[in-house]
Amino acid sequence: MPRAFPPPRLATAAVALALLAATPVPVAAFCGFYVARADTQLFNHASQVVLVRDGDRTVLTMANDFRGEPKEFALVVPVPTFLERGQIHVGDKAVIDHLDAYTAPRLVEYFDDDPCRRMVYDMAVPAPAAAGATGGQARARALGVTVEATYTVGEYDILILSARESSGLETWLTENGYRVPAGASRVLGSYIKQNLRFFVAKVNLAEQAKLGFTYLRPLQIAYESPRFMLPIRLGMANADGPQELFVYALSRKGRVETTNYRTVRLPSDAEVPLFVKDEFAAFYKAMFDRAVDREERRAVFLEYAWDMGWCDPCAADPLSPKELRDLGVFWLDAPAEPGPRFLAPAQRPTRAVDVFVSRLHVRYDNEHFPEDLVFQETGDRTNFQGRFILRHPWTGKPDCDEGRRYLADLSLRLDQEAQTLANLTGWEIATIRRKMKLDSPPGRESRWWEKLWGDGR
């Protein structure tokens, strides 16, 4: 029966995602673009978005890892409808972190038993995971910009804008102290043609000081629209390279996938060498880099798809009904009972949580993702998890034929693990074999030049 060990997993998961973002850029963004009041270089790199969807109703939660001064933060996001004050909320980043941990790709660990005892038991180790302003109304009207509403929500000042032309909107933003990235005008124009409005947020420093938060909490908006999409093109306007985006979609029917880009599954269930346990962050990054290249940088990757009521093995506890409500799962009542914890299949709850989660990971840029992400909810409730396997060999001395065959086959299995790792990551096979202490490919001694440079595979 699989057993789970949550603390190591959570630590490794954090490392894995931290490394993905470990490039020399200071901020991350998502659906919109950040605009700064100073000349500080702002870039987008990675972001996390939670999409709750049922029918035409959507709750969008946007987390960011903005690392600059709060006074420099501002955000512009296209939205399909006008938003009233009550449709805007400030969320809790800890809940998103929990969802990230629950859905993260993981490493599981098994131990071979004595082959002569004809009995097997397994041990599973879950492992790593994983992202305003106002001007004079007259001037705004002259530019074709309408400030439809202004709100203060938590530590944010919010504007809802509409515009007739991108040039007028760009001018209005510039005159009101926002630095609009080069290239944004064309994208703004396309959203205006679709009759989208613009959700503009900046930090109210006085409110932030009053509330006592030293970080920026996620923004949430709720709206009704037949459009099930996520605008990403503005997020590329001030990007200095490909962006990482994690989308956690919570639905009632089943898996969520993109309709205008291919959704493919992350490589999974591969057996890899034991040393990967200490290098899982580097492994995950290299594996994902290679997967992206193999799909010609035009795919969205499914990393996890599961009924929220349980998990096996669990990388983290399933979210509680309260946490799901906090993320905007509006069809749930607000029960007080806690969510199930680390349940094996036989211990699954009898009461359905009625929430299915899909974790999507996309690396996008202008060249390969010229359109916003468009989604659909499917009826597919097939479970999937990005999972990689460590299998510890049995180390005893065999006293039966089956045991001797086990040892005879072991070197072939270990070499296959080395080749699998090389194929997944592009790492040098000779280096992998050295780390595994495999002196030579199974069946023969290494030649002297292979010991010097590897065998070239």
Side-chain angles (χ1 to χ4, degrees):
M1 186 67 66
R3 288 199 288 144
F5 300 84
R9 185 217 72 76
L10 291 174
T12 315
V15 170
L17 293 182
L19 284 183
L20 282 178
T23 58
V25 293
V27 303
F30 27 44
C31 333
F33 64 80
Y34 289 112
V35 287
R37 285 182 175 276
D39 287 332
T40 305
Q41 292 294 313
L42 294 180
F43 302 95
N44 304 331
H45 185 63
S47 56
Q48 295 170 290
V49 170
V50 182
L51 273 174
V52 174
R53 176 81 174 185
D54 185 46
D56 288 345
R57 297 178 178 178
T58 298
V59 178
L60 171 62
T61 302
M62 302 169 285
N64 69 81
D65 65 349
F66 178 77
R67 301 168 193 170
E69 291 293 325
K71 66 181 180 181
E72 306 295 345
F73 174 87
L75 174 69
V76 178
V77 179
V79 291
T81 64
F82 174 77
L83 299 176
E84 299 179 6
R85 165 66 180 81
Q87 294 175 269
I88 305 168
H89 188 256
V90 178
D92 182 355
K93 181 64 163 60
V95 182
I96 299 176
D97 291 341
H98 187 180
L99 182 59
D100 175 55
Y102 173 75
T103 58
R106 62 209 62 198
L107 198 59
V108 297
E109 190 172 42
Y110 295 87
F111 291 82
D112 290 349
D113 206 343
D114 182 347
C116 296
R117 297 176 61 184
R118 298 179 180 277
M119 181 177 71
V120 177
Y121 66 89
D122 297 326
M123 179 181 296
V125 179
T134 58
Q137 290 291 338
R139 177 57 175 161
R141 284 194 296 272
L143 292 170
V145 175
T146 301
V147 182
E148 299 195 11
T150 63
Y151 312 117
T152 296
V153 183
E155 64 269 40
Y156 296 100
D157 284 335
I158 307 293
L159 298 177
I160 307 298
L161 304 178
S162 60
R164 291 198 298 268
E165 295 181 356
S166 61
S167 59
L169 178 59
E170 187 173 354
T171 300
W172 187 94
L173 289 168
T174 302
E175 291 182 353
N176 283 273
Y178 298 97
R179 182 165 60 84
V180 180
S185 181
R186 179 180 56 81
V187 182
L188 289 171
S190 70
Y191 289 129
I192 291 171
K193 289 179 181 176
Q194 298 176 57
N195 295 318
L196 298 186
R197 292 173 170 81
F198 297 91
F199 174 91
V200 180
K202 71 173 183 179
V203 177
N204 183 316
L205 296 177
E207 289 296 322
Q208 187 190 31
K210 188 187 305 180
L211 293 169
F213 291 104
T214 57
Y215 59 93
L216 299 179
R217 294 179 293 167
L219 278 162
Q220 297 180 291
I221 56 176
Y223 55 86
E224 290 190 35
S225 171
R227 298 178 180 183
F228 188 16
M229 52 85 74
L230 191 66
I232 61 172
R233 288 179 295 152
L234 276 179
M236 291 184 276
N238 58 334
D240 66 339
Q243 306 295 292
E244 304 286 341
L245 173 64
F246 295 89
V247 178
Y248 313 92
L250 302 174
S251 63
R252 298 184 81 167
K253 295 178 183 176
R255 185 165 55 84
V256 169
E257 61 185 19
T258 48
T259 61
N260 54 341
Y261 298 103
R262 286 182 299 114
T263 302
V264 300
R265 296 186 175 196
L266 193 74
S268 183
D269 289 334
E271 294 191 11
V272 295
L274 298 179
F275 74 83
V276 170
K277 184 175 184 178
D278 296 325
E279 301 181 16
F280 191 61
F283 160 78
Y284 176 81
K285 183 176 184 302
M287 179 274 302
F288 190 76
D289 287 348
R290 198 164 173 86
V292 168
D293 289 341
R294 281 176 171 161
E295 298 296 335
E296 300 179 339
R297 298 180 175 272
R298 298 180 187 278
V300 175
F301 289 87
L302 177 70
E303 294 192 330
Y304 193 78
W306 212 273
D307 190 305
M308 182 58 80
W310 66 288
C311 46
D312 183 27
C314 291
D317 292 343
L319 273 65
S320 69
K322 180 183 182 307
E323 288 176 306
L324 292 170
R325 289 277 301 184
D326 289 345
L327 288 173
V329 182
F330 52 85
W331 59 86
L332 288 183
D333 295 330
E337 62 186 271
R341 304 172 69 85
F342 298 100
L343 300 181
Q347 300 170 300
R348 296 171 192 171
T350 55
R351 183 181 64 80
V353 175
D354 197 22
V355 179
F356 195 88
V357 59
S358 305
R359 175 189 173 113
L360 302 171
H361 182 180
V362 56
R363 179 174 294 166
Y364 63 97
D365 58 22
N366 274 316
E367 179 181 358
H368 302 95
F369 284 82
E371 301 176 357
D372 294 319
L373 300 180
V374 180
F375 302 98
Q376 68 175 3
E377 182 185 9
T378 73
D380 184 359
R381 297 184 73 91
T382 305
N383 293 324
F384 171 78
Q385 55 183 326
R387 189 180 77 136
F388 303 92
I389 301 168
L390 304 179
R391 188 175 295 280
H392 292 264
W394 175 68
T395 56
K397 294 183 178 178
D399 56 4
C400 66
D401 289 343
E402 188 172 348
R404 284 184 281 274
R405 282 195 296 273
Y406 167 85
L407 289 184
D409 293 341
L410 184 58
S411 61
L412 291 172
R413 186 184 98 187
L414 296 178
D415 194 70
Q416 182 58 54
E417 290 177 1
Q419 294 183 48
T420 298
L421 181 60
N423 186 47
L424 283 172
T425 62
W427 290 350
E428 288 289 336
I429 186 72
T431 303
I432 293 171
R433 286 182 174 136
R434 268 199 302 277
K435 289 185 176 183
M436 297 175 69
K437 297 183 172 49
L438 298 178
D439 294 332
S440 64
R444 67 169 172 79
E445 292 294 324
S446 293
R447 290 162 289 195
W448 65 268
W449 61 85
E450 290 175 346
K451 295 179 180 178
L452 179 64
W453 293 320
D455 63 0
R457 284 193 284 178

